Amino acid sequence: MTGPLHQRTVATLIHPEQRRHGPGLTTTDLGGPELANTISPFLVVSLYDMAGPTFPPHPHAGFSVATYILPESPIGFINHDTLGNRNRIAPGALHVTVAGSGVQHEEQPERTGALARGFQIWIDHAEGARDVAPHALHLRADDVPVVRDGGAVVRVVLGSAAGRSSPLAIPTPVRLVDVTLEAGASFRQDLNDGETAFVMVLSGDVLIAGKEVAAGTVAVTDRVGTELPVSAGPAGARLILFAGQPLAGAPRVQRGPFVASSSAQLQGFMNRFAATGFGTLTPFSAQPDWQPNDGQVLARPGPGRAE
């Protein structure tokens, strides 16, 4: 049964600010301690425009890091990590580094002089899955399920939407649904009762569960109801829907790129990294002839859980 009694409502509108981090990077960031419960199981959702190398090799542990390059991005990313992966993340593709017990990686635009536009998304792990063996997952742009219906184009990057499901499964199941709407077109997302759901509007104006939402705004729904209707205004719209079951009550201790369930586990991650337990990685800048493969993940999962 569907209908008004099962329709979500918009609980909060957030207007994240765009920030500039030097000459080559601007981000629009959603996250932080004040939103930890609101967007769980997501930790950070960052929309970025990057024009050149910004971050050298760096570690992560205790969660998953997803990089989604928007299909309209002029260029893609290149990625490598201490598991042996050397990938191109093309426009429209998704790469997930399941950091687990610890890994290092580096990502940057595939060439300078043009902007790579996409999302970096930090996805929390349940307490028992923080120290899984690190591994990488890749979804090529051509393998993302696409549904076209009445002026709506829906890319099902993670999870399920519009009757289709992404082929990629990650430790914490979430939805990442990329939607383009022509003028007046509509889209409906089915949700589980209790599931976190929020929509970032990239362009155009939309009605989300009857609430007007402008570009640059994030609409966070309540968690009661099983459907979320979205319709575009006269200029059409681009939006990304994020959803997932919140990790209610899960203990979390964070320091920079490490997320743990206790102070002892956090210290263990830090000690392993200091002892080169996450492996070592030669920066792109020291590999002038470096060539990625076209999105294929080559490495097996890394070492198992840390003791």
Side-chain angles (χ1 to χ4, degrees):
M1 175 180 177
T2 60
L5 292 178
H6 294 265
Q7 182 174 297
R8 292 284 181 107
T9 60
V10 174
T12 307
L13 294 178
I14 301 172
H15 305 279
E17 294 185 4
Q18 187 178 78
R19 299 190 298 164
R20 179 171 290 277
H21 311 263
L25 175 66
T26 59
T27 65
T28 302
D29 303 315
L30 187 70
E34 68 282 358
L35 291 177
N37 293 326
T38 300
I39 67 172
S40 177
F42 300 94
L43 296 168
V44 175
V45 173
S46 182
L47 172 65
Y48 62 80
D49 291 280
M50 190 181 294
T54 303
F55 300 108
H58 56 278
H60 293 290
F63 62 102
S64 291
V65 181
T67 298
Y68 175 53
I69 306 295
L70 290 170
E72 63 267 31
S73 176
I75 60 173
F77 254 31
I78 53 174
N79 164 86
H80 67 158
D81 60 39
T82 48
L83 304 175
N85 295 299
R86 301 161 69 89
N87 311 94
R88 176 178 185 250
I89 312 173
L94 175 79
H95 189 87
V96 181
T97 300
V98 180
S101 60
V103 69
Q104 288 198 75
H105 77 160
E106 182 182 17
E107 292 179 338
Q108 68 179 43
E110 60 186 324
R111 68 175 188 271
T112 57
L115 283 177
R117 181 168 173 81
F119 283 89
Q120 184 161 107
I121 306 152
W122 290 18
I123 303 166
D124 205 2
H125 284 192
E127 183 176 3
R130 291 211 185 277
D131 59 354
V132 297
H135 56 284
L137 301 164
H138 195 94
L139 183 61
R140 293 166 56 97
D142 290 347
D143 294 329
V144 175
V146 179
V147 178
R148 294 176 171 82
D149 182 24
V153 179
V154 180
R155 305 186 83 243
V156 188
V157 184
L158 285 172
S160 60
R164 300 288 302 277
S165 295
S166 169
L168 209 64
I170 63 176
T172 301
V174 298
R175 304 181 203 263
L176 195 170
V177 185
D178 181 336
V179 182
T180 302
L181 298 174
E182 295 179 1
S186 61
F187 160 75
R188 188 191 75 179
Q189 176 66 50
D190 291 332
L191 296 164
N192 299 320
D193 202 36
E195 190 175 4
T196 295
F198 55 94
V199 175
M200 181 176 285
V201 182
L202 303 182
S203 65
D205 297 310
V206 295
L207 283 177
I208 300 177
K211 181 80 170 180
E212 294 185 6
V213 183
T217 304
V218 177
V220 183
T221 78
D222 59 20
R223 290 180 175 143
V224 178
T226 56
E227 65 175 30
L228 183 66
V230 180
S231 58
R238 284 279 289 115
L239 57 103
I240 309 291
L241 180 141
F242 300 88
Q245 195 66 31
L247 298 175
R252 181 169 59 245
V253 182
Q254 181 172 353
R255 180 174 295 179
F258 305 131
V259 181
S261 294
S262 67
S263 296
Q265 187 180 50
L266 177 65
Q267 190 62 51
F269 288 154
M270 295 170 64
N271 290 346
R272 284 193 68 229
F273 174 60
T276 67
F278 293 7
T280 58
L281 195 63
T282 303
F284 287 126
S285 58
Q287 303 180 64
D289 298 324
W290 189 91
Q291 292 293 324
N293 68 77
D294 190 18
Q296 182 182 4
V297 170
L298 301 178
R300 297 188 302 273
R305 297 171 184 262
E307 296 299 332

